[in-house]
Amino acid sequence: KMDGGVFLLVAFIRHGESELNRQGVLDGNSEAGLTEQGILQCMQLGQWIRHNLAEEAVIFSSPMRRARESAEYIRTAIAGKIYIDDRLGEAEFGHLQGKSVTDIDWDAEIGKSGVESAAHIRRRAYQFLEEQCKANQDKLVLVVTHGSFIRYLFSMIDSKFDLKCPVKNGSISLVEYQKPFGYRNAGFNITEFE
């Protein structure tokens, strides 16, 4: 606790590199696993978390294989049980899944038939964050999820956040919560783990 208020640090982690990420293709709801680079990213991140944040955490993961594998590799460095939460899943990309990410006009596609709306992603992200603030006070919460989830969440808590900012594979983005002040962007897209 800080100044008599509730304090919580939630670390949002984009899964390590998958084979489809390496190819520049939108993973969507595919069950792509991690590449060797993705495994290395997660193991380095786990060590960084252990040395800089905590030796134990409450860990949540998207149900997608690449996120579950990432959570397992991170957990080799820290103690904590992994909980799967469907709300942390990748956005539904419909007809865009499997396309080259450079060929997609996101502004024109978000919310179209079969593509999950920004409002829906924000709603499930915020609901998850609010729930963790109530359930895990004074604990480190690790959340292994996807780039779209992290971007839309940060766009809600940081008015200066650029929604087009890419979230790197194996990166960590930090949200602080302190009552009565609320949420704060405490670091976005951190990838330097030396």
Side-chain angles (χ1 to χ4, degrees):
K1 297 196 186 267
M2 295 177 59
D3 300 327
V6 174
F7 179 78
L8 177 71
L9 182 64
V10 183
F12 290 90
I13 298 165
R14 183 176 180 205
H15 60 80
E17 179 189 70
S18 73
E19 189 56 46
L20 292 176
N21 291 145
R22 184 193 312 239
Q23 295 170 16
V25 173
L26 189 62
D27 282 79
N29 290 317
S30 76
E31 281 297 308
L34 298 178
T35 62
E36 290 294 320
Q37 176 65 22
I39 292 169
L40 181 61
Q41 289 167 335
C42 294
M43 294 187 78
Q44 288 175 333
L45 178 54
Q47 288 298 322
W48 184 86
I49 292 167
R50 179 179 186 80
H51 296 294
N52 293 282
L53 298 178
E55 294 182 6
E56 185 174 353
V58 179
I59 306 168
F60 291 90
S61 175
S62 156
M64 307 306 301
R65 178 180 168 199
R66 58 195 180 272
R68 292 189 325 266
E69 288 179 358
S70 295
E72 289 291 346
Y73 283 111
I74 290 165
R75 193 174 63 169
T76 63
I78 61 168
K81 183 175 179 191
I82 297 172
Y83 301 92
I84 304 299
D85 192 313
D86 289 341
R87 293 173 294 183
L88 303 174
E90 179 61 283
E92 180 58 55
F93 291 118
H95 68 281
L96 300 176
Q97 184 168 320
K99 289 190 176 184
S100 170
V101 293
T102 58
D103 295 340
I104 299 171
D105 178 359
W106 290 106
D107 292 332
E109 295 291 348
I110 292 296
K112 280 193 174 176
S113 179
V115 180
E116 188 174 5
S117 73
H120 189 261
I121 298 168
R122 284 185 179 110
R123 189 169 37 256
R124 63 185 168 95
Y126 194 74
Q127 179 188 43
F128 176 83
L129 182 60
E130 285 278 290
E131 186 178 291
Q132 297 322 306
C133 286
K134 291 176 184 163
N136 292 298
Q137 296 176 7
D138 298 317
K139 297 177 187 171
L140 173 63
V141 177
L142 299 180
V143 182
V144 184
T145 186
H146 307 273
S148 59
F149 185 96
I150 295 168
R151 276 195 308 275
Y152 283 110
L153 177 68
F154 271 73
S155 74
M156 288 188 308
I157 63 168
D158 184 347
S159 63
K160 296 179 181 139
F161 182 78
D162 179 2
L163 194 54
K164 294 184 192 261
C165 184
V167 182
K168 297 176 184 173
N169 289 109
S171 68
I172 187 169
S173 298
L174 304 171
V175 173
E176 285 182 354
Y177 174 76
Q178 185 175 356
K179 193 174 184 178
F181 305 108
Y183 300 109
R184 183 178 81 81
N185 176 347
F188 179 76
N189 223 8
I190 301 164
T191 57
E192 298 297 319
F193 304 121
E194 302 303 317

